[in-house]
Amino acid sequence: MTKKAVQQIMLGTVTKNEKQALETLKKIKEAGYDGIELNGFMIRPSSFMVRILTKAAGMPVGKGGNFEWKELMQQSKLECVSIHEDLGTIEREPETVIREAEKFGTDKVVITGMYRFDYSDRKAVEKLTKDLNHAGGILKEAGIQLLYHNHNCEFRKIEPGKTAYDLIIGETDPSCVNFELDSYWPAEAGVSAIALMKKLGERMRLYHINDRGSRITGPSMTPILKSDSMELGYGNMDLEELIRQALSVRTEAVILESHKNWVDASPVKSLQVSAEFLNQQIRQEENHE
């Protein structure tokens, strides 16, 4: 059965202390989610630069670096479906990453993309694929899967008709590197998310879901509105088809990650609204099998 989870980055503003963090996690469980996808930089003390960058992006890290997250998740009856890490940490401290995954009972570590990296530089992307294969091989020996998470920058062309993501798929070893597809970002880049899902097939082990549309109503200053993250079912993405494809290849978890723009400015209310759609769609698909 496919699990439903929430990406921890949504929770920075509602995990200001351990009591609030536990209350938030319990609400996530009550909404029908099975787990959380953790971030290494949120379950350990993070650098000033990381805190500034995530806050500037509208997704603050919060103050959970010293919380007992394993205990909080046990109390709320949520499991850890995976942990996000950066490639540099995996390369420098593979034992630390392995121990952390084992501590939280997950066999999946996800790379969240590269910071200050030129995805139009073919040689750089080719080196990245070699680094991914190497890191994935190390984790594989410890029984851990390495997955790669995309944003929109991977869809820059390295040559006519070929994106960096195409190269990453083609040059990584499926025995030790697979994927967590985020369908929001190819849609934002003008790329077909369903075509990517079909290309990945069973290499898509996890699926990041979000919707995309505009919350603005009534007259506006311009006839052009800016699209942003939306609660599931309230935007214009064909999420029904995407969920159907994800379940058809036995994707292990569908993970909600919305990027601010939450209804009533509340990440908790937003994930509760999205849960109504997600629970219904997954139940329908599983009943059809």
Side-chain angles (χ1 to χ4, degrees):
M1 182 177 292
T2 301
K3 299 168 186 172
K4 296 161 289 185
V6 172
Q7 224 296 327
Q8 190 185 15
I9 196 66
M10 292 182 65
L11 310 179
T13 60
V14 287
T15 53
K16 294 176 181 176
N17 53 59
E18 289 201 50
K19 180 181 178 182
Q20 186 187 39
L22 181 58
E23 291 172 351
T24 296
L25 295 183
K26 286 182 176 179
K27 289 176 181 177
I28 291 171
K29 180 66 175 179
E30 290 167 2
Y33 297 96
D34 305 295
I36 297 288
E37 180 175 61
L38 297 173
N39 296 316
F41 57 85
M42 292 182 75
I43 58 177
R44 301 187 299 265
S46 55
S47 70
F48 176 76
M49 181 59 69
V50 167
R51 294 197 301 273
I52 289 296
L53 288 172
T54 56
K55 187 174 183 179
M59 298 181 286
V61 169
K63 300 180 180 180
N66 293 312
F67 295 175
E68 292 294 337
W69 282 100
K70 183 177 180 180
E71 184 177 335
L72 289 169
M73 293 176 71
Q74 288 174 337
Q75 290 181 42
S76 58
K77 297 181 172 56
L78 289 169
E79 61 183 285
C80 174
V81 298
S82 53
I83 301 178
H84 273 201
E85 289 288 357
D86 65 276
L87 181 57
T89 298
I90 297 170
E91 291 177 320
R92 290 189 306 270
E93 308 173 49
E95 298 85 1
T96 299
V97 173
I98 290 166
R99 284 197 303 271
E100 199 155 69
E102 291 173 344
K103 172 184 175 181
F104 284 98
T106 182
D107 66 349
K108 296 176 186 63
V109 169
V110 184
I111 291 175
T112 57
M114 306 296 291
Y115 179 60
R116 289 185 176 176
F117 184 85
D118 185 359
Y119 282 93
S120 66
D121 183 338
R122 185 184 185 105
K123 288 185 178 179
V125 180
E126 287 175 342
K127 182 181 183 304
L128 172 60
T129 64
K130 291 181 174 66
D131 292 342
L132 291 172
N133 285 331
H134 180 255
I138 293 172
L139 295 183
K140 180 183 177 182
E141 291 181 0
I144 295 173
Q145 303 176 51
L146 179 66
L147 309 182
Y148 183 89
H149 176 283
N150 64 281
H151 294 96
N152 61 356
C153 48
E154 286 87 354
F155 303 104
R156 295 184 71 181
K157 296 288 179 61
I158 55 169
E159 62 184 52
K162 189 167 189 176
T163 68
Y165 200 66
D166 292 330
L167 185 63
I168 293 170
I169 295 172
E171 297 296 322
T172 49
D173 181 352
S175 72
C176 56
V177 180
N178 286 292
F179 294 87
E180 175 180 76
L181 181 75
D182 188 317
S183 59
Y184 178 93
W185 292 115
E188 193 275 340
V191 174
S192 169
I194 190 66
L196 286 174
M197 281 189 169
K198 290 179 178 178
K199 183 173 183 177
L200 287 172
E202 293 186 356
R203 294 189 73 187
M204 187 180 75
R205 302 295 172 81
L206 299 175
Y207 170 34
H208 261 217
I209 195 169
N210 195 1
D211 210 343
R212 186 167 181 259
S214 174
R215 197 182 302 285
I216 298 173
T217 58
S220 55
M221 295 294 292
T222 168
I224 300 172
L225 300 177
K226 181 181 178 182
S227 290
D228 204 341
S229 172
M230 295 288 291
E231 284 71 40
L232 303 185
Y234 288 82
N236 299 309
M237 295 181 67
D238 189 354
L239 298 181
E240 292 89 348
E241 182 181 22
L242 296 172
I243 290 171
R244 190 176 304 118
Q245 175 63 23
L247 269 59
S248 75
V249 295
R250 296 179 175 82
T251 298
E252 295 180 43
V254 178
I255 302 163
L256 177 71
E257 181 187 8
S258 56
H259 324 116
K260 57 187 180 178
N261 196 40
W262 299 307
V263 62
D264 296 341
S266 167
V268 172
K269 185 168 184 179
S270 180
L271 65 86
Q272 290 169 332
V273 170
S274 288
E276 295 173 9
F277 177 89
L278 187 59
N279 291 336
Q280 180 182 13
Q281 292 302 314
I282 290 182
R283 184 165 54 246
Q284 286 179 358
E285 293 302 322
E286 291 181 338
N287 287 340
H288 288 161
E289 291 182 355

